Amino acid sequence: MKQEQIKTIIEKLGKEYPEARTELIYSSPFELLVATILSAQTTDKQVNRVTAGLFKKYNKPEDFAVLSEKELEKEISSIGLYRNKSRFIIQASKLLIEKYQGFVPDNREELMKLPGVGRKTANVVLACAFKQNAMPVDTHVFRLANRLGLVRSDKVEEVEEQLMKLIPEDRWINFHHSLIAHGRKVCKARAPLCQNCILADDCIYYKKKRGEINDS
Ligand code: SF4
């Protein structure tokens, strides 16, 4: 894809979603870390429903580290994979106390040492809590980047790398949020609303669908 086309996509998304941000509700890096661990394969809305009560009772590593897995499971049982998530959150809390004086580290390498924290979760924490330029690739970013033709890969890490090369660094965070917003609202996984899409003229998937370019 040509630089001009990439610029157009960035500008259109930036205009459409100027205030795009994470929908997870949090008031500290630690709360965001917990919310992001909880959000795997669950909607942000469902996570917010649970954390609204949870964070009133527990909102520091010290609070979670002393819970039993069963106790935390009860609190988060309406969320998918809650048993694993309960274990991860308690173990991560203990590690934060042991190694980081109870603070969430602000670099990817250290974040990824925490149980339940993969590259995407680490990138979300870096981008949203610490305002560091990062490009978290979730299911929406992955799908849209491929459909638009910005990248061509079935591997999350490759998509992240390719996007970081294509998009100016100071736009990474907003671009990431705006792709998610667009994925939720228009470019849905099963039935993208291409006819109402601001990116219809720029999108490889839609051009192929309309037979304007070959499907190769
Ligand atoms: S044109 Fe369709 S496939 Fe392309 S970004 Fe828009 S909704 Fe998604």
Side-chain angles (χ1 to χ4, degrees), residues 147-148 182 186-187 192-194 197 199-200 203 205-206:
R147 279 183 178 167
L148 284 163
H182 198 58
V186 183
C187 190
L193 307 172
C194 300
C197 178
L199 303 175
C203 175
Y205 173 95
Y206 196 38

Side-chain angles (χ1 to χ4, degrees), residues 1-213:
M1 188 175 271
K2 292 186 186 135
Q3 271 306 321
E4 266 316 295
Q5 291 171 289
I6 296 167
K7 214 173 139 202
T8 304
I9 291 173
I10 296 172
E11 277 168 12
K12 284 184 181 175
L13 283 171
K15 246 190 222 165
E16 188 75 4
Y17 307 103
E19 307 293 335
R21 63 183 303 280
T22 177
E23 288 187 359
L24 292 172
I25 298 171
Y26 62 95
S27 61
S28 68
F30 178 72
E31 285 190 2
L32 177 62
L33 177 70
V34 172
T36 312
I37 291 174
L38 290 174
S39 72
Q41 294 179 45
T42 306
T43 65
D44 290 355
K45 281 198 178 95
Q46 180 58 17
V47 172
N48 289 338
R49 261 181 231 128
V50 167
T51 55
L54 183 71
F55 290 158
K56 279 194 188 124
K57 291 194 203 168
Y58 318 106
N59 65 3
K60 297 186 294 298
E62 291 78 2
D63 300 331
F64 285 93
V66 294
L67 293 178
S68 70
E69 285 179 25
K70 285 273 172 256
E71 281 172 315
L72 185 51
E73 281 173 15
K74 265 192 217 152
E75 301 282 345
I76 63 172
S77 62
S78 61
I79 286 184
L81 308 174
Y82 66 95
R83 289 202 174 89
N84 285 345
K85 290 174 183 176
S86 168
R87 193 173 67 251
F88 289 150
I89 291 167
I90 291 170
Q91 287 176 350
S93 297
K94 287 180 179 167
L95 202 64
L96 287 174
I97 295 166
E98 276 166 36
K99 295 214 166 156
Y100 305 98
Q101 295 83 46
F103 292 100
V104 176
D106 61 357
N107 71 77
R108 188 181 296 110
E109 208 188 332
E110 300 300 319
L111 278 166
M112 287 178 67
K113 288 180 186 164
L114 299 171
V117 179
R119 196 173 172 91
K120 192 213 80 178
T121 298
N123 280 339
V124 168
V125 173
L126 292 175
C128 301
F130 296 117
K131 308 295 172 220
Q132 289 182 22
N133 292 328
M135 182 69 82
V137 176
D138 73 348
T139 176
H140 299 291
V141 174
F142 183 85
R143 182 176 72 254
L144 268 76
N146 272 292
R147 279 183 178 167
L148 284 163
L150 290 167
V151 304
R152 211 173 173 175
S153 174
D154 58 2
K155 296 192 179 67
V156 172
E157 281 206 21
E158 281 178 13
V159 171
E160 182 186 332
E161 263 170 43
Q162 291 175 26
L163 285 177
M164 287 195 300
K165 279 187 197 146
L166 291 178
I167 311 299
E169 194 174 335
D170 61 344
R171 307 294 290 267
W172 288 354
I173 298 178
N174 180 266
F175 188 74
H176 147 83
H177 287 312
S178 60
L179 278 188
I180 293 175
H182 198 58
R184 285 186 174 137
K185 204 170 135 196
V186 183
C187 190
K188 297 164 191 262
R190 292 217 179 124
L193 307 172
C194 300
Q195 284 170 344
N196 302 324
C197 178
I198 51 161
L199 303 175
D201 293 336
D202 315 289
C203 175
I204 299 290
Y205 173 95
Y206 196 38
K207 283 181 186 171
K208 282 181 185 168
K209 210 168 153 189
R210 287 184 297 189
E212 288 174 21
I213 54 175

